[in-house]
Amino acid sequence: AMAERTRRPRRFGLDVFRRTTSQFAALTSGPVDPDYRLGPGDELLLILTGDVELAHPLPVTREGFIVIPQVGQISVANVTLAQLRIILMGRLGRVYSGVRPGASATTRFDITVTRLRVNQIFVTGDVARPGAYAVSALGTVMNALYQAGGPTERGSFRAVRILRTGRLVRTLDLYDYLLGGNARDDIRLETGDVVFVPPRGRRVTIEGQVLRPGIYELSEGQGLRD
């Protein structure tokens, strides 16, 4: 009976979260995309070149502002990097006549994020290491789950819930990612978000001549062919 037990198929997906890998480590620096939303704790760098040569480090204050010398304060909380570029074109243009849209500009500017804030999030439910985690502002649900060691033997892979200010904002099916690398439902987390792994649903064991023998969790309404 012991030999039988050791050969039992493994639960699909479990080992992915147990590996030591940097695959799911959230970035803490590097270029951020234009849709990145700024917030307190981020640090920016504004560079002006041309008629004026200046570099200003710009920390985002607790109240969500940046303060640019000679230009004044600009509210950037929840503003994307792309939106900030448009705002800066107007604000800088009032002070530096060379800053204007198009080819006639004699002063150009560049704004980059040099340091990302850290968000505190919570991973709860049936996970290996539940608790509070600090993830970079680029951190996603997969990053958080990986830090928490992934779902336990009892946890669900098919219906991970993300709660924001107490409301459900997304349900994540980890099989989409594990089977096809599809991370479209993997969202960036914000401070205070809760990642909740509920108890697993019905399971089926597939053995014999198949590519990936193992124990699989069925999602709502799935049958044999799925």
Side-chain angles (χ1 to χ4, degrees):
M2 271 312 283
E4 275 303 298
R5 212 169 290 152
T6 55
R7 278 211 304 277
R8 283 197 58 202
R10 286 184 56 72
R11 182 162 180 217
F12 175 70
L14 264 190
D15 52 342
V16 171
F17 291 99
R18 306 293 187 270
R19 281 187 219 131
T20 348
T21 168
S22 59
Q23 183 187 352
F24 299 115
L27 296 171
T28 50
S29 62
V32 303
D33 58 63
D35 295 335
Y36 177 71
R37 290 190 179 277
L38 298 161
D42 283 333
E43 281 188 20
L44 313 178
L45 179 66
L46 173 66
I47 296 175
L48 291 152
T49 53
D51 294 346
V52 185
E53 302 275 339
L54 287 169
H56 295 303
L58 304 170
V60 181
T61 66
R62 226 180 249 159
E63 294 74 38
F65 290 98
I66 54 173
V67 180
I68 306 172
Q70 278 92 54
V71 177
Q73 68 174 23
I74 298 173
S75 174
V76 297
N78 223 20
V79 169
T80 68
L81 209 48
Q83 288 166 338
L84 179 58
R85 289 205 167 98
I86 295 164
I87 295 166
L88 285 173
M89 180 63 78
R91 290 292 295 270
L92 292 169
R94 284 186 222 160
V95 179
Y96 303 106
S97 57
V99 175
R100 47 185 176 266
S104 68
T106 54
T107 303
R108 302 196 177 281
F109 72 88
D110 187 42
I111 184 87
T112 49
V113 180
T114 51
R115 199 167 85 197
L116 293 165
R117 67 186 179 275
V118 169
N119 290 332
Q120 187 177 41
I121 56 95
F122 306 93
V123 186
T124 65
D126 287 296
V127 289
R129 295 184 295 275
Y133 288 88
V135 297
S136 114
L138 291 182
T140 66
V141 181
M142 289 299 278
N143 300 141
L145 278 174
Y146 186 73
Q147 276 187 270
T152 63
E153 187 59 56
R154 292 183 307 279
S156 172
F157 273 76
R158 308 302 306 264
V160 176
R161 299 191 184 110
I162 297 90
L163 303 147
R164 182 165 294 160
T165 57
R167 287 203 185 89
L168 182 69
V169 288
R170 186 67 54 99
T171 303
L172 196 63
D173 183 346
L174 301 181
Y175 277 18
D176 287 346
Y177 184 84
L178 298 173
L179 287 167
N182 182 345
R184 66 158 186 259
D185 285 334
D186 190 16
I187 58 169
R188 268 186 205 159
L189 295 171
E190 294 175 12
T191 282
D193 281 1
V194 175
V195 177
F196 173 71
V197 176
R200 64 174 189 229
R202 290 183 307 151
R203 304 197 303 170
V204 59
T205 302
I206 304 177
E207 293 185 271
Q209 305 304 307
V210 291
L211 204 53
R212 286 185 293 265
I215 301 168
Y216 292 86
E217 185 182 346
L218 297 177
S219 68
E220 209 53 48
Q222 277 194 322
L224 176 64
R225 189 178 289 277
D226 304 302

